């Protein structure tokens, strides 16, 4: 497999000019369109994606190792099919709606100023992750490990404490209702 490092890719439209299936290290992808692209078995290490669209891309067996996504559209991605070896990334000001993290181990992941509507975190290990100012409307937490997770500034979440591991997780008083939704009670100021 080809090895490409320290390169900046800008404005690439994958459908028109596909990237070589390779191992990319310390590369930057600015304003690239990978929507619906086949990234099967691509390897990305210490890379940054800025203002790029990866919506509905095939990321089966794709390696994402220490990746930064900033201002990216990542709609409907199946992160559960990624290469799990070294899987690590952070998201800032991204749209991740309808993405799936089923059974992924993504401890210490930072989600900042991001939209995660209807994201599936079923059986995911999010230990020590941070959701800073994130919209988790209709996100699914089922048998999820949320130990030491910081949800103090997250909003619109609904988490069943009896069905998830939330030991030492941090919540704000404003968000506490998200832990009581299953009881169908009204909380007023």
């Amino acid at each position: 497999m080809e090895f490409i490092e320290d390169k900046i890719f800008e404005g690439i439209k994958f459908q028109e000019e596909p990237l070589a299936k390779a191992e990319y290290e310390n590369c930057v992808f600015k304003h690239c369109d990978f929507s619906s692209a086949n990234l099967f078995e691509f390897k990305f290490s210490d890379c940054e994606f800025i203002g790029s669209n990866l919506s509905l891309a095939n990321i089966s067996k794709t390696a994402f190792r220490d990746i930064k996504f900033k201002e990216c559209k990542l709609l409907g991605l199946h992160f559960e099919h990624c290469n799990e070896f070294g899987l690590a990334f952070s998201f800032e000001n991204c749209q991740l709606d309808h993405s799936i993290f089923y059974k992924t181990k993504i401890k210490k992941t930072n989600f900042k100023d991001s939209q995660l509507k209807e994201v599936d975190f079923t059986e995911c290990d999010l230990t020590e992750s941070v959701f800073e100012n994130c919209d988790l409307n209709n996100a699914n937490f089922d048998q999820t490990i949320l130990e030491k997770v910081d949800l103090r500034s997250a909003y619109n979440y609904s988490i069943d404490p009896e069905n998830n591991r939330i030991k030492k997780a941090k919540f704000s008083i404003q968000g506490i209702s998200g832990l009581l939704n299953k009881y169908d009670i009204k909380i007023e100021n």
Side-chain angles (χ1 to χ4, degrees):
M1 184 178 271
E2 190 178 352
F3 183 78
I4 299 167
E5 65 180 329
D6 302 322
K7 192 167 177 189
I8 295 173
F9 297 88
E10 194 159 359
I12 300 284
K13 287 187 169 69
F14 192 86
Q15 304 301 351
E16 295 170 14
E17 46 186 319
L19 290 177
K21 183 187 282 189
E23 188 167 338
Y24 294 88
E25 187 172 303
N26 201 35
C27 292
V28 177
F29 299 89
K30 287 184 178 178
H31 309 291
C32 293
D33 185 359
F34 297 104
S35 58
S36 300
N38 186 2
L39 299 175
F40 179 77
E41 291 186 334
F42 276 61
K43 290 183 172 76
F44 299 99
S45 300
D46 298 307
C47 292
E48 201 168 345
F49 290 83
I50 303 167
S52 293
N53 183 359
L54 285 88
S55 297
L56 299 173
N58 175 6
I59 55 173
S60 291
K61 297 191 178 179
T62 303
F64 288 118
R65 298 183 182 118
D66 295 316
I67 304 303
K68 291 180 183 165
F69 291 103
K70 290 183 180 175
E71 300 168 9
C72 290
K73 243 176 137 174
L74 305 152
L75 306 176
L77 290 181
H78 287 265
F79 289 100
E80 81 276 22
H81 296 310
C82 287
N83 181 332
E84 57 190 49
F85 180 74
L87 185 64
F89 32 57
S90 65
F91 302 93
E92 185 177 338
N93 199 21
C94 291
Q95 289 182 318
L96 288 132
D97 300 352
H98 306 285
S99 290
I100 300 171
F101 291 91
Y102 176 69
K103 286 190 172 183
T104 57
K105 288 178 176 62
I106 50 172
K107 295 178 178 185
K108 299 182 180 180
T109 299
N110 286 317
F111 298 89
K112 183 178 180 183
D113 298 320
S114 293
Q115 187 172 294
L116 297 115
K117 293 180 180 178
E118 299 187 33
V119 169
D120 187 357
F121 289 112
T122 300
E123 297 183 40
C124 181
D125 186 350
L126 289 161
T127 302
E128 295 185 62
S129 293
V130 176
F131 291 88
E132 184 181 336
N133 194 37
C134 290
D135 186 353
L136 291 160
N137 192 35
N138 288 323
N140 188 31
F141 296 94
D142 184 18
Q143 302 297 314
T144 306
I145 301 172
L146 295 163
E147 294 179 357
K148 299 180 184 175
V149 166
D150 188 341
L151 288 151
R152 290 178 293 180
S153 60
Y155 52 96
N156 292 332
Y157 56 83
S158 180
I159 298 169
D160 182 349
E162 295 171 24
N163 200 25
N164 296 283
R165 291 175 34 195
I166 63 168
K167 190 176 185 179
K168 296 191 178 179
K170 297 175 187 171
F171 301 92
S172 69
I173 196 71
Q174 296 87 356
I176 208 75
S177 63
L179 297 173
L180 303 171
N181 288 340
K182 80 176 209 169
Y183 300 111
D184 196 24
I185 59 176
K186 293 188 185 217
I187 300 170
E188 297 179 5
N189 288 334

